[in-house]
Amino acid sequence: MRRLLAIVVLTAGLPLAIAGQELRVPNKPDSVKFAVIGDSGTGSSAQRAVGKELAIWRSRFPFTFVVMVGDNLYGGERESDFQKKFVIPYKPLLDSKVKFYASLGNHDDAAIQRNYPLFNMNGERFYSFKPKDGVRFFALDSNYVDKTQLEWLDKQLAGSGSEWKIMFFHHPLYSSGETHGSAELQRGLLEPVFVKHGVNLVLTGHEHFYERIKPQKGIQYFIIGNSAKLRKGDLSKSELTLYGNDREYAFMLMEIAGDELFFQTINEKGQTIDAGSVRRVGKVEATPGRSTQPVVPQAKPTPAQPGPRQPASKSTPSK
C-alpha cells in the first residue's frame, strides 16, 4: 500500500512579528501531540533556553511526550551529568509527567543510556512505541545498523498495518551539512526498508542545524540537531533543502490529526522559524521501482492560533 503525502509551508506571507508567536498547529483535542529535540545534552544556557521555551509552549499546546534524536549527553554520564544535562533543563516537563523517548547518538553510551528510566528505552538499543491507534514510532540505533536491527525493523514494519510510521534516530540519511553530510552507509541499509513498508516521516540530528529536506522517494526527512549545539555557517543549502537554519537553536512541535501531520519549528527565543504539514491521503497499489509515497499538493493550510504569549480571543479558531 502507498501513502500519499503533501508538504506545505504555512509561515509564508506572514509578518515575522506576528507569525513568530502564533501557534501554527491545529491543537485538536484528540490528536497526537509531541515535541522533538536533538543533540541536546550539553547542560549549557542554550539547552536551558530551549527547555524553558518547551515548557512555555506546552502551556498552549499540551504535548504528552518528547522524541530525542541522539547525543542526549555530551561528555560524562554520571548521575550528576544526567541531572545537569537532562533533568534540570526539562524539569517543568518532567514534573508534568511528559515522557521522553531517546535514541542513541555517536556521543552516547548505549550501556548506560538505554537503561536510564527517564529515556524510556527499556534496556534496548532500538524499540518502538504506539501512543495511539494508527500511529507508531520506531527508535533506531544508527551507530550500528546490523543484521539483527534490520531484521527487527522489517518485521516490526510489516506488522504495523496502515499506521503512521515515524522513524527517529541520529545520523541523517540526507543532509546539506558541510561537516558531516548525508549518511550514505546508513541510507543504503535503511532506505530500502523504509520504502518497502511505506514509512511516512524520519527525524534525525547529528548536524548542528535545522533542515527540512525535500521529500526523498516520498518520505519526509527533518534534521533537528540544534537544540543545544549550533554550527553556524555549516549548512550549505543544496537541491535537498526546502528550508534550513544554522543561525539559531531550535526544537519542533508536531501534531498528528487523522491523515495529516503538522509541524512548527521554534527557536530559543520562542519565534517560529518554519511550519507546515505532511498529508497522508488514500490508499493505492504499490508500483514496482517507484516511491511508496509520492508527494501531492495539499488543499489549504491550518489557521493560526494565539501562541503562549498571546491571549486567546473570541475570534480564535476552535480546536
Side-chain angles (χ1 to χ4, degrees), residues 59-77:
S59 69
R60 186 69 178 88
F61 179 70
F63 55 86
T64 58
F65 62 95
V66 179
V67 165
M68 305 170 71
V69 296
D71 283 359
N72 311 307
L73 272 81
Y74 289 93
E77 298 195 9

Side-chain angles (χ1 to χ4, degrees), residues 13-278:
L14 290 170
L16 180 59
I18 297 175
Q21 303 299 331
E22 288 180 331
L23 187 63
R24 302 298 303 180
V25 293
N27 202 16
K28 295 183 178 180
D30 298 322
S31 62
V32 176
K33 303 176 181 69
F34 62 102
V36 188
I37 57 176
D39 299 68
S40 55
T42 62
S44 64
S45 59
Q47 183 187 12
R48 294 192 297 273
V50 166
K52 180 179 178 180
E53 286 299 326
L54 277 163
I56 290 172
W57 281 84
R58 189 175 182 272
S59 69
R60 186 69 178 88
F61 179 70
F63 55 86
T64 58
F65 62 95
V66 179
V67 165
M68 305 170 71
V69 296
D71 283 359
N72 311 307
L73 272 81
Y74 289 93
E77 298 195 9
R78 302 178 297 272
E79 177 58 33
S80 60
D81 293 303
F82 278 90
Q83 287 291 319
K84 179 182 178 181
K85 304 168 189 177
F86 177 71
V87 175
I88 292 173
Y90 310 123
K91 189 175 188 302
L93 300 179
L94 293 167
D95 288 347
S96 298
K97 308 302 181 184
V98 173
K99 296 187 74 171
F100 286 73
Y101 292 95
S103 59
L104 296 168
N106 57 294
H107 286 277
D108 297 325
D109 188 326
I112 296 174
Q113 291 194 22
R114 68 185 185 179
N115 292 300
Y116 181 59
L118 295 180
F119 283 176
N120 291 292
M121 300 179 73
N122 299 313
E124 304 294 340
R125 291 193 300 117
F126 44 89
Y127 62 97
S128 73
F129 68 96
K130 185 176 183 177
K132 185 179 180 180
D133 286 348
V135 180
R136 184 172 288 277
F137 288 76
F138 300 82
L140 304 183
D141 180 3
S142 57
N143 297 291
Y144 304 104
V145 185
D146 54 14
K147 181 180 179 182
T148 299
Q149 184 171 189
L150 287 170
E151 290 178 347
W152 171 88
L153 180 61
D154 185 69
K155 183 177 180 180
Q156 287 283 314
L157 284 168
S160 63
S162 59
E163 302 167 327
W164 277 95
K165 304 176 184 70
I166 300 173
M167 301 287 153
F168 64 103
F169 51 90
H170 191 59
H171 299 84
L173 304 192
Y174 294 93
S175 167
S176 302
E178 293 187 357
T179 297
H180 297 300
S182 302
E184 295 182 358
L185 176 61
Q186 288 91 333
R187 185 202 302 171
L189 294 169
L190 292 171
E191 187 178 59
V193 186
F194 294 172
V195 171
K196 173 183 176 183
H197 293 290
V199 166
N200 307 101
L201 181 75
V202 176
L203 304 168
T204 62
H206 197 45
E207 304 279 24
H208 297 161
F209 53 68
Y210 170 74
E211 186 175 18
R212 174 161 51 89
I213 302 293
K214 179 181 180 181
Q216 301 295 311
K217 299 185 179 178
I219 300 171
Q220 179 62 58
Y221 290 84
F222 288 95
I223 299 173
I224 180 74
N226 56 336
S227 298
K229 287 263 190 175
L230 195 60
R231 189 173 286 121
K232 292 184 178 181
D234 194 56
L235 175 58
S236 180
K237 293 181 181 179
S238 70
E239 62 181 10
L240 293 172
T241 311
L242 282 178
Y243 177 80
N245 185 313
D246 62 3
R247 310 299 296 180
E248 300 166 287
Y249 300 94
F251 62 95
M252 299 184 76
L253 301 179
M254 286 192 163
E255 177 176 6
I256 300 174
D259 284 325
E260 196 156 12
L261 181 147
F262 300 84
F263 64 90
Q264 182 171 355
T265 307
I266 301 168
N267 70 14
E268 78 276 18
K269 298 176 182 177
Q271 299 167 334
T272 297
I273 61 175
D274 191 26
S277 68
V278 177

